[in-house]
Amino acid sequence: MAAATPSAASRIAVVTGASGGIGAATARGLAEAGYRVVLTARRKDRIEALAEELNAAGHTATAYPLDVTDRAAVDEFATAFKTVGVLVNNAGGALGADPVATGDPEDWRRMYETNVIGTLHLTQALLPKLEASGDGTVVVVSSTAGHSTYEGGAGYVAAKHGAHVLAETLRLEIVGRPVRVVEIAPGMVKTDEFALTRFGGDEAKAAKVYEGVAEPLTAADVADTITWAVTRPSHVNIDLLVVRPRAQASNSKVHRER
Ligand code: 8X3
């Protein structure tokens, strides 16, 4: 792996949604790249266990239970830092796969709250600390759903388009300041929870998402792209990186082996 930015060893990387999947894998990747990682998620036991594991392996990790939709809690969290090198906005996810005609407005609201407002909260609260580091990076983990739509996806697609727009607009607004804005847009990633959460715990429906797909991406594959983007030299801004498994040409064109 390429060398981390020179000051990585002394720098802090905050990862949201670090209790599992892409967030946990990203925390591992950034810890291995020399960052002091701060793991946030609602599930305290999970982030504490991961922090313990990383510390036992010689890295520096701390766990901070946080709900990204709770603005007061996010502001309180931000007071813990003078500077932050990296913020990975990973918390989010999908709820339901219903057509527009019958989708639950409450699912749409919750997806907007976590994927967009959660990212907004963390970014607003930590932007001064990222700037104060003299070399900050904001990562928005969006999705291929932030770039095109598919039937049954509209609620999630709308939220991820929101996350994409946040990243693109922020990059325009802060150009000239020492903060990069990186968007990573993963396609089909098989994690323990993404599809299960989307289908309210229905294992059969969740399994169907990946049925016949030889090798969906793993959380580690996506973490690898995030870590790569973050560890480019400071003047290199990976604006947008779309990453899919080889078997997926678009959200609706997936090769399945029968
Ligand atoms: C996940 C990709 O295809 O389920 O962000 O929308 S998809």
Side-chain angles (χ1 to χ4, degrees), residues 143-145 150 156 186-187 194 198 251:
S143 168
T144 49
Y150 55 94
Y156 180 62
F194 178 82
R198 179 170 215 166
N251 284 47

Side-chain angles (χ1 to χ4, degrees), residues 5 11 35 85-86 130 135-139 170-171 174 177-182 228-238:
T5 46
R11 303 183 72 202
Y35 284 90
V86 178
L130 288 153
D135 183 12
T137 304
V138 178
V139 178
L170 178 66
R171 194 180 305 115
I174 66 171
R177 285 149 67 178
V179 181
R180 300 181 294 185
V181 183
V182 174
W228 175 81
V230 165
T231 55
R232 292 314 82 210
S234 307
H235 69 288
V236 177
N237 195 121
I238 307 298

Side-chain angles (χ1 to χ4, degrees), residues 113-237:
E113 275 290 327
T114 53
N115 292 286
V116 185
I117 304 297
T119 297
L120 180 69
H121 283 164
L122 265 296
T123 303
Q124 288 184 337
L126 292 181
L127 198 53
K129 321 278 179 166
L130 288 153
E131 193 166 356
S133 79
D135 183 12
T137 304
V138 178
V139 178
V140 174
V141 182
S142 65
S143 168
T144 49
H147 297 270
S148 64
T149 194
Y150 55 94
E151 291 121 302
Y156 180 62
V157 164
K160 286 300 192 183
H161 273 68
H164 160 65
V165 166
L166 185 157
E168 200 167 75
T169 310
L170 178 66
R171 194 180 305 115
L172 293 171
E173 290 168 350
I174 66 171
V175 70
R177 285 149 67 178
V179 181
R180 300 181 294 185
V181 183
V182 174
E183 178 185 349
I184 306 290
M188 183 185 283
V189 186
K190 190 173 182 186
T191 63
D192 292 342
E193 293 183 294
F194 178 82
L196 210 52
T197 303
R198 179 170 215 166
F199 295 107
D202 185 327
E203 289 184 12
K205 277 190 184 167
K208 264 219 155 323
V209 172
Y210 311 105
E211 197 174 64
V213 181
E215 284 177 292
L217 295 180
T218 64
D221 292 326
V222 180
D224 189 40
T225 67
I226 295 170
T227 305
W228 175 81
V230 165
T231 55
R232 292 314 82 210
S234 307
H235 69 288
V236 177
N237 195 121

Side-chain angles (χ1 to χ4, degrees), residues 35-56:
Y35 284 90
R36 290 156 51 201
V37 290
V38 180
L39 319 177
T40 75
R42 284 172 302 178
R43 290 174 296 183
K44 185 169 183 273
D45 52 334
R46 290 226 186 180
I47 51 175
E48 281 179 349
L50 179 54
E52 218 170 279
E53 181 200 315
L54 292 172
N55 288 325

